Coordinates of all heavy atoms in Angstrom, one line a residue:
M1008 N -59.0 141.4 84.3 CA -59.3 140.0 84.4 C -58.2 139.2 85.1 O -58.4 138.0 85.3 CB -59.7 139.3 83.0 CG -61.0 139.7 82.5 SD -62.2 139.0 83.6 CE -63.7 139.3 82.7
K1009 N -57.1 139.8 85.3 CA -56.0 139.1 86.0 C -56.5 138.6 87.3 O -56.1 137.5 87.7 CB -54.8 140.0 86.2 CG -53.7 139.3 86.8 CD -52.5 140.3 87.0 CE -51.3 139.5 87.6 NZ -50.2 140.4 87.9
G1010 N -57.3 139.3 88.1 CA -57.8 138.9 89.4 C -58.6 137.6 89.2 O -58.5 136.7 90.1
L1011 N -59.4 137.4 88.2 CA -60.2 136.2 88.0 C -59.3 135.0 87.7 O -59.5 133.9 88.2 CB -61.2 136.4 86.9 CG -62.2 135.3 86.6 CD1 -63.0 134.9 87.8 CD2 -63.1 135.6 85.4
G1012 N -58.3 135.3 86.9 CA -57.4 134.2 86.6 C -56.6 133.7 87.8 O -56.4 132.5 88.0
D1013 N -56.3 134.6 88.7 CA -55.6 134.3 90.0 C -56.5 133.5 90.9 O -56.1 132.5 91.5 CB -55.1 135.5 90.7 CG -53.9 136.2 90.0 OD1 -53.3 135.5 89.1 OD2 -53.6 137.4 90.3
M1014 N -57.8 133.9 90.9 CA -58.8 133.2 91.7 C -58.9 131.7 91.2 O -59.1 130.8 92.0 CB -60.1 133.9 91.8 CG -60.1 135.0 92.8 SD -61.8 135.6 93.3 CE -62.6 135.9 91.7
M1015 N -59.0 131.6 89.9 CA -59.1 130.3 89.3 C -57.9 129.4 89.7 O -58.1 128.2 90.0 CB -59.3 130.4 87.8 CG -60.6 131.0 87.4 SD -62.1 130.1 88.0 CE -62.0 128.7 86.9
K1016 N -56.7 130.0 89.6 CA -55.5 129.2 90.0 C -55.6 128.8 91.4 O -55.2 127.7 91.8 CB -54.3 130.0 89.7 CG -53.9 130.1 88.2 CD -52.7 130.9 88.0 CE -52.4 131.1 86.5 NZ -51.2 132.0 86.3
Q1017 N -56.0 129.7 92.3 CA -56.1 129.4 93.7 C -57.1 128.3 94.0 O -56.9 127.4 94.7 CB -56.4 130.6 94.5 CG -56.3 130.3 96.0 CD -56.5 131.6 96.9 OE1 -57.0 132.6 96.4 NE2 -56.2 131.5 98.1
A1018 N -58.3 128.4 93.3 CA -59.3 127.4 93.4 C -58.8 126.0 93.0 O -59.1 125.0 93.6 CB -60.5 127.8 92.6
Q1019 N -58.0 126.0 91.9 CA -57.5 124.7 91.4 C -56.5 124.2 92.4 O -56.4 123.0 92.7 CB -56.8 124.9 90.1 CG -56.3 123.6 89.5 CD -55.7 123.8 88.1 OE1 -55.8 124.9 87.5 NE2 -55.2 122.8 87.5
A1020 N -55.7 125.0 93.0 CA -54.7 124.6 94.0 C -55.4 124.0 95.2 O -55.0 123.0 95.8 CB -53.8 125.8 94.4
V1021 N -56.5 124.7 95.7 CA -57.3 124.2 96.8 C -57.8 122.8 96.5 O -57.8 121.9 97.3 CB -58.4 125.2 97.2 CG1 -59.4 124.5 98.2 CG2 -57.8 126.5 97.7
Q1022 N -58.4 122.6 95.3 CA -58.9 121.3 94.9 C -57.8 120.3 94.9 O -58.1 119.2 95.4 CB -59.6 121.5 93.5 CG -60.3 120.2 93.1 CD -60.9 120.4 91.7 OE1 -60.7 121.3 91.0 NE2 -61.8 119.5 91.4
E1023 N -56.7 120.6 94.4 CA -55.6 119.6 94.4 C -55.2 119.2 95.8 O -54.9 118.1 96.1 CB -54.4 120.1 93.6 CG -54.6 120.2 92.1 CD -53.5 121.0 91.3 OE1 -52.5 121.4 92.0 OE2 -53.7 121.1 90.1
H1024 N -55.1 120.2 96.7 CA -54.7 120.0 98.0 C -55.8 119.1 98.8 O -55.5 118.3 99.6 CB -54.4 121.3 98.8 CG -53.1 121.8 98.5 ND1 -52.8 122.6 97.4 CD2 -51.9 121.7 99.2 CE1 -51.6 123.0 97.5 NE2 -51.0 122.4 98.5
L1025 N -57.0 119.4 98.5 CA -58.1 118.6 99.1 C -58.1 117.1 98.6 O -58.3 116.2 99.4 CB -59.5 119.2 98.7 CG -59.8 120.5 99.5 CD1 -61.1 121.1 99.0 CD2 -59.9 120.2 101.0
L1026 N -57.8 116.9 97.4 CA -57.6 115.5 96.9 C -56.5 114.8 97.6 O -56.6 113.7 98.0 CB -57.4 115.5 95.4 CG -58.7 115.8 94.5 CD1 -58.3 115.9 93.1 CD2 -59.8 114.8 94.7
Q1027 N -55.4 115.5 97.7 CA -54.2 115.0 98.4 C -54.6 114.7 99.9 O -54.2 113.7 100.5 CB -53.0 115.9 98.4 CG -51.8 115.4 99.1 CD -50.7 116.4 99.0 OE1 -50.8 117.5 98.4 NE2 -49.6 116.1 99.6
L1028 N -55.3 115.6 100.5 CA -55.8 115.4 101.9 C -56.6 114.2 102.0 O -56.5 113.4 103.0 CB -56.5 116.7 102.4 CG -57.1 116.6 103.8 CD1 -56.0 116.6 104.8 CD2 -58.0 117.8 104.0
Q1029 N -57.5 114.0 101.1 CA -58.4 112.8 101.1 C -57.6 111.5 101.1 O -57.8 110.5 101.8 CB -59.4 112.8 100.0 CG -60.5 113.8 100.2 CD -61.5 113.9 99.0 OE1 -61.1 113.5 97.9 NE2 -62.7 114.4 99.2
E1030 N -56.6 111.5 100.2 CA -55.7 110.3 100.1 C -54.9 110.1 101.4 O -54.8 108.9 101.8 CB -54.7 110.5 98.9 CG -55.4 110.4 97.6 CD -54.5 110.8 96.4 OE1 -53.3 110.8 96.6 OE2 -55.0 111.0 95.3
E1031 N -54.4 111.1 102.0 CA -53.7 111.0 103.2 C -54.6 110.5 104.3 O -54.2 109.7 105.1 CB -53.1 112.4 103.6 CG -51.9 112.8 102.8 CD -51.4 114.2 103.1 OE1 -51.7 114.7 104.3 OE2 -50.7 114.8 102.3
M1032 N -55.8 111.0 104.4 CA -56.7 110.6 105.4 C -57.1 109.1 105.3 O -57.2 108.4 106.2 CB -58.0 111.5 105.4 CG -57.8 112.9 105.9 SD -57.1 113.0 107.6 CE -58.4 112.1 108.5
A1033 N -57.3 108.7 104.0 CA -57.6 107.3 103.8 C -56.5 106.3 104.3 O -56.8 105.3 104.8 CB -57.9 107.1 102.3
S1034 N -55.3 106.8 104.1 CA -54.2 105.9 104.5 C -53.8 106.0 106.0 O -53.0 105.2 106.5 CB -53.0 106.1 103.6 OG -52.5 107.4 103.8
M1035 N -54.3 107.1 106.7 CA -54.0 107.3 108.1 C -54.6 106.2 108.9 O -55.7 105.8 108.7 CB -54.5 108.7 108.5 CG -54.3 109.0 110.0 SD -54.9 110.6 110.4 CE -56.6 110.2 110.7
E1036 N -53.9 105.8 109.9 CA -54.5 104.8 110.9 C -54.3 105.3 112.3 O -53.2 105.9 112.6 CB -53.8 103.4 110.8 CG -54.3 102.7 109.6 CD -54.0 101.2 109.6 OE1 -53.1 100.8 110.4 OE2 -54.5 100.4 108.8
V1037 N -55.3 105.2 113.1 CA -55.2 105.6 114.5 C -55.6 104.4 115.4 O -56.3 103.5 114.9 CB -56.1 106.8 114.8 CG1 -55.7 108.0 114.0 CG2 -57.6 106.4 114.6
K1038 N -55.2 104.4 116.6 CA -55.5 103.4 117.6 C -56.3 104.0 118.7 O -55.8 104.8 119.4 CB -54.3 102.7 118.1 CG -54.6 101.5 119.0 CD -53.5 100.6 119.5 CE -52.2 101.1 119.5 NZ -51.2 100.2 120.2
G1039 N -57.6 103.5 118.9 CA -58.4 103.9 120.0 C -58.3 102.9 121.1 O -58.2 101.7 120.8
E1040 N -58.3 103.3 122.3 CA -58.1 102.4 123.4 C -59.1 102.7 124.5 O -59.6 103.8 124.7 CB -56.7 102.5 124.0 CG -55.6 102.2 123.1 CD -54.2 102.3 123.8 OE1 -54.1 103.1 124.7 OE2 -53.4 101.5 123.5
S1041 N -59.4 101.7 125.3 CA -60.2 101.8 126.5 C -59.8 100.8 127.5 O -59.1 99.8 127.2 CB -61.7 101.7 126.2 OG -62.0 100.4 125.8
G1042 N -60.2 101.0 128.8 CA -59.8 100.1 129.8 C -58.3 100.0 130.0 O -57.8 98.8 130.2
A1043 N -57.6 101.1 129.9 CA -56.1 101.1 130.1 C -55.5 100.1 129.1 O -54.6 99.4 129.4 CB -55.7 100.8 131.5
G1044 N -56.0 100.0 127.9 CA -55.4 99.2 126.8 C -56.0 97.8 126.8 O -55.5 97.0 126.0
L1045 N -57.0 97.5 127.5 CA -57.7 96.2 127.5 C -58.4 95.9 126.1 O -58.5 94.8 125.7 CB -58.6 96.0 128.6 CG -58.0 95.9 130.0 CD1 -59.1 95.8 131.1 CD2 -57.1 94.7 130.1
V1046 N -58.9 97.0 125.6 CA -59.5 97.0 124.3 C -58.8 98.0 123.4 O -58.6 99.2 123.8 CB -61.0 97.3 124.3 CG1 -61.7 97.4 123.0 CG2 -61.7 96.3 125.2
T1047 N -58.4 97.6 122.2 CA -57.9 98.5 121.2 C -58.6 98.3 119.9 O -58.9 97.2 119.5 CB -56.3 98.4 121.0 OG1 -56.1 97.0 120.5 CG2 -55.6 98.6 122.3
I1048 N -58.8 99.4 119.2 CA -59.4 99.4 117.9 C -58.5 100.2 116.9 O -58.2 101.4 117.2 CB -60.8 100.0 117.9 CG1 -61.7 99.1 118.7 CG2 -61.4 100.3 116.5 CD1 -63.2 99.5 118.8
V1049 N -58.1 99.7 115.8 CA -57.4 100.4 114.8 C -58.4 100.8 113.7 O -59.1 99.9 113.2 CB -56.2 99.5 114.2 CG1 -55.5 100.2 113.1 CG2 -55.3 99.1 115.3
M1050 N -58.4 102.1 113.4 CA -59.3 102.6 112.4 C -58.6 103.5 111.4 O -57.6 104.2 111.8 CB -60.3 103.5 113.2 CG -61.4 104.2 112.3 SD -62.5 105.2 113.4 CE -63.5 103.9 114.2
N1051 N -59.0 103.5 110.2 CA -58.4 104.4 109.2 C -59.1 105.7 109.1 O -60.1 105.9 109.8 CB -58.2 103.7 107.8 CG -59.6 103.5 107.1 OD1 -60.6 104.0 107.4 ND2 -59.5 102.6 106.1
G1052 N -58.6 106.6 108.3 CA -59.2 107.9 108.1 C -60.6 107.9 107.5 O -61.3 109.0 107.5
R1053 N -61.0 106.8 107.0 CA -62.4 106.7 106.4 C -63.4 106.1 107.5 O -64.5 105.7 107.1 CB -62.4 105.8 105.2 CG -61.7 106.5 104.0 CD -61.9 105.6 102.8 NE -61.2 106.2 101.7 CZ -60.6 105.5 100.7 NH1 -60.5 104.2 100.8 NH2 -60.1 106.2 99.7
H1054 N -62.9 106.0 108.7 CA -63.7 105.4 109.8 C -63.9 104.0 109.6 O -64.9 103.4 110.1 CB -65.0 106.2 110.0 CG -64.8 107.6 110.5 ND1 -64.9 108.7 109.6 CD2 -64.4 108.2 111.7 CE1 -64.6 109.8 110.2 NE2 -64.3 109.5 111.5
E1055 N -63.1 103.3 108.9 CA -63.2 101.8 108.7 C -62.4 101.2 109.8 O -61.2 101.4 109.9 CB -62.8 101.4 107.3 CG -63.6 102.0 106.2 CD -62.9 101.8 104.8 OE1 -61.7 101.6 104.7 OE2 -63.7 101.8 103.9
V1056 N -63.0 100.3 110.5 CA -62.3 99.5 111.6 C -61.4 98.5 110.9 O -62.0 97.6 110.2 CB -63.2 98.9 112.6 CG1 -62.5 98.1 113.6 CG2 -64.0 100.1 113.3
R1057 N -60.1 98.5 111.2 CA -59.2 97.5 110.6 C -58.9 96.4 111.6 O -58.5 95.3 111.1 CB -57.9 98.2 110.2 CG -58.1 99.2 109.1 CD -58.6 98.5 107.9 NE -58.7 99.4 106.7 CZ -59.2 99.0 105.6 NH1 -59.8 97.9 105.5 NH2 -59.3 99.9 104.6
Q1058 N -58.9 96.6 112.9 CA -58.5 95.6 113.8 C -59.2 95.9 115.2 O -59.3 97.1 115.6 CB -57.0 95.6 114.0 CG -56.5 94.5 114.9 CD -55.0 94.6 115.0 OE1 -54.3 95.5 114.5 NE2 -54.4 93.6 115.7
V1059 N -59.6 94.9 115.8 CA -60.1 94.9 117.2 C -59.4 93.9 118.0 O -59.3 92.8 117.6 CB -61.7 94.6 117.3 CG1 -62.1 94.6 118.7 CG2 -62.5 95.6 116.4
T1060 N -58.8 94.4 119.1 CA -58.1 93.5 120.0 C -58.6 93.6 121.4 O -58.8 94.7 122.0 CB -56.6 93.9 120.0 OG1 -56.1 94.0 118.7 CG2 -55.7 93.0 120.9
L1061 N -58.9 92.4 122.0 CA -59.4 92.3 123.3 C -58.4 91.6 124.2 O -57.9 90.5 123.8 CB -60.7 91.5 123.4 CG -61.9 92.1 122.6 CD1 -63.1 91.1 122.7 CD2 -62.3 93.4 123.1
N1062 N -58.1 92.1 125.3 CA -57.2 91.4 126.2 C -58.0 90.1 126.7 O -59.2 90.2 127.0 CB -56.8 92.3 127.4 CG -55.9 91.6 128.4 OD1 -56.2 90.7 129.1 ND2 -54.7 92.2 128.4
S1063 N -57.3 89.0 126.8 CA -58.0 87.7 127.1 C -58.6 87.8 128.5 O -59.6 87.0 128.7 CB -57.0 86.6 127.0 OG -55.9 86.7 127.8
S1064 N -58.2 88.6 129.4 CA -58.8 88.7 130.7 C -60.2 89.2 130.6 O -61.0 89.0 131.5 CB -57.9 89.6 131.6 OG -58.0 90.9 131.2
L1065 N -60.5 89.9 129.6 CA -61.9 90.5 129.4 C -62.9 89.4 129.2 O -64.1 89.6 129.4 CB -62.0 91.4 128.2 CG -61.5 92.8 128.5 CD1 -61.5 93.7 127.2 CD2 -62.3 93.5 129.6
L1066 N -62.5 88.2 128.7 CA -63.4 87.2 128.3 C -64.2 86.6 129.6 O -65.2 86.0 129.4 CB -62.7 86.0 127.6 CG -62.1 86.5 126.3 CD1 -61.3 85.3 125.6 CD2 -63.1 87.1 125.3
E1067 N -63.6 86.9 130.7 CA -64.3 86.5 132.0 C -65.2 87.6 132.5 O -66.0 87.3 133.5 CB -63.2 86.2 133.0 CG -62.3 85.1 132.6 CD -61.1 84.9 133.5 OE1 -61.1 85.6 134.6 OE2 -60.2 84.2 133.2
E1068 N -65.2 88.7 131.9 CA -66.1 89.8 132.3 C -67.5 89.7 131.8 O -67.8 89.0 130.9 CB -65.5 91.2 131.8 CG -64.2 91.6 132.5 CD -64.4 91.9 134.0 OE1 -65.5 92.3 134.4 OE2 -63.4 91.7 134.7
D1069 N -68.4 90.5 132.4 CA -69.8 90.6 132.0 C -69.9 91.1 130.6 O -69.1 92.0 130.2 CB -70.5 91.4 133.0 CG -72.0 91.5 132.8 OD1 -72.6 90.4 132.7 OD2 -72.5 92.7 132.7
K1070 N -70.8 90.7 129.9 CA -71.0 91.2 128.5 C -71.2 92.7 128.4 O -70.6 93.3 127.5 CB -72.3 90.5 127.9 CG -72.6 90.9 126.5 CD -73.9 90.2 126.0 CE -74.3 90.6 124.7 NZ -75.5 91.4 124.6
A1071 N -71.9 93.3 129.4 CA -72.1 94.7 129.4 C -70.8 95.5 129.5 O -70.6 96.6 128.9 CB -73.1 95.1 130.5
V1072 N -69.9 95.0 130.3 CA -68.6 95.6 130.5 C -67.8 95.6 129.2 O -67.2 96.6 128.8 CB -67.8 94.9 131.6 CG1 -66.3 95.4 131.7 CG2 -68.5 95.1 133.0
I1073 N -67.8 94.5 128.5 CA -67.1 94.4 127.2 C -67.7 95.3 126.2 O -67.0 96.0 125.5 CB -67.1 92.9 126.7 CG1 -66.4 92.0 127.7 CG2 -66.5 92.8 125.3 CD1 -66.5 90.5 127.4
E1074 N -69.0 95.4 126.2 CA -69.7 96.3 125.2 C -69.3 97.7 125.5 O -69.1 98.5 124.6 CB -71.2 96.1 125.3 CG -71.7 94.8 124.7 CD -73.1 94.5 125.0 OE1 -73.7 95.1 125.9 OE2 -73.7 93.5 124.3
D1075 N -69.3 98.1 126.8 CA -68.9 99.5 127.1 C -67.5 99.8 126.7 O -67.2 100.9 126.2 CB -69.1 99.7 128.6 CG -70.6 99.8 129.1 OD1 -71.5 100.0 128.2 OD2 -70.8 99.7 130.3
L1076 N -66.6 98.9 127.0 CA -65.2 99.1 126.6 C -65.0 99.2 125.1 O -64.2 100.0 124.6 CB -64.3 98.0 127.2 CG -64.1 98.0 128.7 CD1 -63.4 96.8 129.2 CD2 -63.4 99.3 129.1
L1077 N -65.8 98.4 124.3 CA -65.7 98.4 122.9 C -66.2 99.8 122.4 O -65.6 100.4 121.5 CB -66.5 97.3 122.2 CG -65.9 95.9 122.2 CD1 -66.9 94.8 121.9 CD2 -64.7 95.9 121.3
A1078 N -67.3 100.2 122.9 CA -67.9 101.5 122.5 C -66.9 102.7 122.8 O -66.7 103.6 122.0 CB -69.2 101.8 123.2
A1079 N -66.3 102.6 124.0 CA -65.3 103.6 124.4 C -64.1 103.6 123.5 O -63.6 104.7 123.1 CB -64.9 103.5 125.9
A1080 N -63.6 102.5 123.2 CA -62.4 102.4 122.3 C -62.8 102.9 120.9 O -62.0 103.6 120.2 CB -61.9 101.0 122.2
F1081 N -63.9 102.5 120.4 CA -64.4 103.0 119.1 C -64.5 104.5 119.1 O -64.0 105.2 118.2 CB -65.7 102.4 118.7 CG -66.2 102.8 117.4 CD1 -65.8 102.2 116.2 CD2 -67.1 103.8 117.3 CE1 -66.3 102.5 115.0 CE2 -67.6 104.3 116.0 CZ -67.2 103.6 114.9
N1082 N -65.1 105.1 120.1 CA -65.3 106.6 120.2 C -63.9 107.3 120.3 O -63.7 108.3 119.7 CB -66.2 106.9 121.4 CG -67.6 106.6 121.1 OD1 -68.0 106.5 120.0 ND2 -68.3 106.3 122.2
D1083 N -63.0 106.7 121.0 CA -61.6 107.2 121.1 C -61.0 107.3 119.7 O -60.4 108.3 119.4 CB -60.8 106.4 122.1 CG -59.4 106.9 122.3 OD1 -59.3 108.2 122.5 OD2 -58.4 106.1 122.3
A1084 N -61.1 106.2 119.0 CA -60.5 106.1 117.6 C -61.2 107.2 116.7 O -60.5 107.9 116.0 CB -60.7 104.8 117.0
V1085 N -62.5 107.3 116.8 CA -63.2 108.4 116.0 C -62.7 109.8 116.3 O -62.4 110.6 115.4 CB -64.7 108.3 116.2 CG1 -65.4 109.5 115.6 CG2 -65.3 107.0 115.5
R1086 N -62.5 110.1 117.6 CA -62.0 111.4 118.0 C -60.6 111.6 117.5 O -60.3 112.7 117.0 CB -62.0 111.5 119.5 CG -63.4 111.8 120.2 CD -63.2 112.1 121.6 NE -62.9 111.0 122.4 CZ -63.7 110.1 122.9 NH1 -65.0 110.2 122.7 NH2 -63.3 109.1 123.6
K1087 N -59.8 110.6 117.5 CA -58.4 110.7 116.9 C -58.4 110.9 115.4 O -57.6 111.7 114.9 CB -57.6 109.5 117.3 CG -57.3 109.5 118.8 CD -56.5 108.3 119.2 CE -56.1 108.3 120.7 NZ -55.4 107.1 121.1
V1088 N -59.3 110.3 114.7 CA -59.4 110.5 113.3 C -59.8 111.9 113.0 O -59.3 112.6 112.2 CB -60.4 109.5 112.6 CG1 -60.8 110.0 111.2 CG2 -59.9 108.1 112.6
E1089 N -60.8 112.4 113.7 CA -61.3 113.8 113.5 C -60.3 114.8 113.9 O -60.1 115.8 113.2 CB -62.6 114.0 114.3 CG -63.8 113.2 113.8 CD -64.0 113.4 112.3 OE1 -64.0 114.5 111.8 OE2 -64.2 112.4 111.6
A1090 N -59.5 114.6 115.0 CA -58.4 115.5 115.3 C -57.4 115.5 114.3 O -56.8 116.6 113.9 CB -57.9 115.1 116.7
G1091 N -57.0 114.3 113.7 CA -56.1 114.3 112.6 C -56.5 115.0 111.4 O -55.8 115.7 110.7
R1092 N -57.8 114.8 111.1 CA -58.4 115.5 109.9 C -58.3 117.0 110.1 O -57.9 117.8 109.2 CB -59.8 115.1 109.7 CG -60.5 115.8 108.6 CD -62.0 115.4 108.5 NE -62.3 114.0 108.7 CZ -62.4 113.1 107.7 NH1 -62.4 113.4 106.5 NH2 -62.6 111.8 108.0
Q1093 N -58.7 117.5 111.3 CA -58.7 118.9 111.6 C -57.3 119.5 111.5 O -57.1 120.6 110.9 CB -59.3 119.2 113.0 CG -59.5 120.7 113.2 CD -60.5 121.3 112.2 OE1 -61.5 120.7 111.9 NE2 -60.3 122.5 111.8
N1094 N -56.3 118.8 112.0 CA -54.9 119.2 111.9 C -54.4 119.3 110.5 O -53.8 120.3 110.1 CB -54.0 118.3 112.7 CG -54.1 118.4 114.2 OD1 -54.6 119.5 114.7 ND2 -53.7 117.4 114.9
K1095 N -54.8 118.3 109.7 CA -54.4 118.3 108.3 C -55.0 119.5 107.5 O -54.4 120.1 106.7 CB -54.6 117.0 107.6 CG -53.7 115.9 108.1 CD -53.9 114.6 107.3 CE -53.0 113.5 107.8 NZ -51.6 113.8 107.5
V1096 N -56.3 119.7 107.8 CA -57.1 120.8 107.1 C -56.5 122.1 107.5 O -56.3 123.0 106.6 CB -58.6 120.7 107.4 CG1 -59.3 121.9 106.9 CG2 -59.2 119.5 106.7
S1097 N -56.2 122.3 108.8 CA -55.7 123.6 109.2 C -54.3 123.8 108.6 O -54.0 124.9 108.2 CB -55.5 123.6 110.7 OG -56.8 123.5 111.4
G1098 N -53.5 122.8 108.5 CA -52.2 122.9 107.9 C -52.3 123.3 106.4 O -51.6 124.2 105.9
M1099 N -53.2 122.6 105.7 CA -53.4 122.9 104.3 C -53.9 124.4 104.1 O -53.4 125.1 103.3 CB -54.5 122.0 103.7 CG -54.7 122.2 102.2 SD -56.3 121.6 101.6 CE -57.4 122.7 102.4
A1100 N -54.8 124.8 105.0 CA -55.4 126.2 104.8 C -54.3 127.2 105.1 O -54.2 128.2 104.4 CB -56.5 126.3 105.8
R1101 N -53.5 127.0 106.1 CA -52.4 127.9 106.4 C -51.4 128.0 105.2 O -51.0 129.0 104.8 CB -51.7 127.5 107.7 CG -52.3 128.0 108.9 CD -51.4 127.8 110.1 NE -51.1 126.5 110.4 CZ -51.9 125.6 111.1 NH1 -53.0 126.1 111.6 NH2 -51.5 124.4 111.3
G1102 N -51.1 126.8 104.6 CA -50.2 126.8 103.5 C -50.7 127.5 102.3 O -49.9 128.0 101.5
L1103 N -52.0 127.5 102.2 CA -52.6 128.2 101.0 C -53.0 129.6 101.3 O -53.6 130.3 100.5 CB -53.9 127.4 100.5 CG -53.6 126.1 99.9 CD1 -54.9 125.3 99.7 CD2 -52.8 126.2 98.6
G1104 N -52.8 130.1 102.6 CA -53.2 131.4 102.9 C -54.6 131.6 103.1 O -55.1 132.8 102.9
L1105 N -55.4 130.6 103.4 CA -56.8 130.7 103.5 C -57.2 131.1 105.0 O -56.5 130.6 105.9 CB -57.5 129.4 103.2 CG -57.3 128.9 101.7 CD1 -57.9 127.6 101.5 CD2 -57.9 129.9 100.7
P1106 N -58.3 131.8 105.2 CA -58.7 132.2 106.5 C -59.3 131.0 107.2 O -60.3 130.4 106.8 CB -59.7 133.3 106.3 CG -60.3 133.0 104.9 CD -59.1 132.4 104.1
L1107 N -58.6 130.6 108.3 CA -59.1 129.4 109.1 C -60.4 129.6 109.7 O -61.2 128.6 109.8 CB -58.0 129.0 110.1 CG -56.7 128.6 109.7 CD1 -55.7 128.4 110.8 CD2 -56.8 127.3 108.8
D1108 N -60.8 130.8 110.1 CA -62.1 131.0 110.7 C -63.3 130.8 109.8 O -64.4 130.7 110.2 CB -62.1 132.3 111.4 CG -61.9 133.5 110.5 OD1 -61.3 133.3 109.4 OD2 -62.3 134.6 110.8
K1109 N -63.0 130.9 108.5 CA -64.1 130.7 107.5 C -64.3 129.3 107.0 O -65.3 129.0 106.4 CB -63.8 131.6 106.3 CG -63.6 133.0 106.5 CD -64.8 133.7 107.0 CE -64.6 135.2 107.1 NZ -65.5 135.9 108.0
L1110 N -63.3 128.4 107.4 CA -63.4 127.0 106.9 C -64.2 126.2 107.9 O -63.9 126.2 109.1 CB -62.0 126.4 106.7 CG -61.2 127.0 105.6 CD1 -59.8 126.4 105.6 CD2 -61.9 126.9 104.3
Q1111 N -65.1 125.4 107.4 CA -65.8 124.5 108.3 C -65.8 123.1 107.7 O -66.2 122.9 106.6 CB -67.3 124.9 108.5 CG -67.4 126.2 109.2 CD -68.9 126.6 109.3 OE1 -69.8 125.9 108.9 NE2 -69.1 127.8 109.9
F1112 N -65.3 122.1 108.5 CA -65.2 120.7 108.0 C -65.8 119.8 109.0 O -65.8 120.0 110.1 CB -63.7 120.3 107.7 CG -63.1 121.1 106.6 CD1 -62.4 122.2 106.7 CD2 -63.3 120.6 105.3 CE1 -61.9 122.9 105.7 CE2 -62.8 121.3 104.2 CZ -62.0 122.4 104.4

């Protein structure tokens, strides 16, 4: 039964690391940009938008241009959150000796 006890300890360690990962992701902030920095969006690891900044020169642009730049900046921020999440999960898995090819997040 020693094997079962070791598996339970490893499962508990994984659970603790996942909780820590969730906390780290919640506090992580990324900045998505578009239009060479004309639009920036700050987003946390929970995909909550914290700040939107528009360069004042955009206010003279067509509404469709502004909407496209906002969408692009938002998508950039989402990609950065997901890349950060993947990096943290990979690091956690390596630290615990888990097979990375079996993990899907």
Side-chain angles (χ1 to χ4, degrees):
M1008 283 294 188
K1009 182 179 179 187
L1011 181 60
D1013 289 343
M1014 279 198 308
M1015 293 298 289
K1016 285 181 184 178
Q1017 186 176 17
Q1019 185 175 356
V1021 168
Q1022 184 177 16
E1023 289 171 3
H1024 280 85
L1025 285 174
L1026 289 173
Q1027 180 181 357
L1028 176 67
Q1029 287 176 338
E1030 291 173 11
E1031 289 176 17
M1032 288 301 302
S1034 65
M1035 178 181 85
E1036 285 193 345
V1037 299
K1038 182 173 23 172
E1040 296 182 328
S1041 67
L1045 292 175
V1046 176
T1047 60
I1048 292 179
V1049 176
M1050 178 181 288
N1051 70 16
R1053 290 184 179 146
H1054 296 100
E1055 297 169 335
V1056 174
R1057 295 296 185 192
Q1058 182 180 8
V1059 176
T1060 305
L1061 302 175
N1062 185 291
S1063 59
S1064 67
L1065 280 177
L1066 301 178
E1067 299 171 9
E1068 291 293 331
D1069 184 53
K1070 178 180 178 248
V1072 171
I1073 297 170
E1074 291 170 344
D1075 287 345
L1076 289 171
L1077 282 167
F1081 181 84
N1082 290 334
D1083 184 45
V1085 168
R1086 280 189 292 274
K1087 289 178 179 178
V1088 167
E1089 293 306 316
R1092 180 184 317 262
Q1093 191 61 39
N1094 286 338
K1095 287 185 181 293
V1096 167
S1097 295
M1099 180 200 71
R1101 276 191 297 277
L1103 293 172
L1105 298 175
L1107 294 175
D1108 59 336
K1109 304 289 185 203
L1110 295 176
Q1111 294 180 3
F1112 292 93

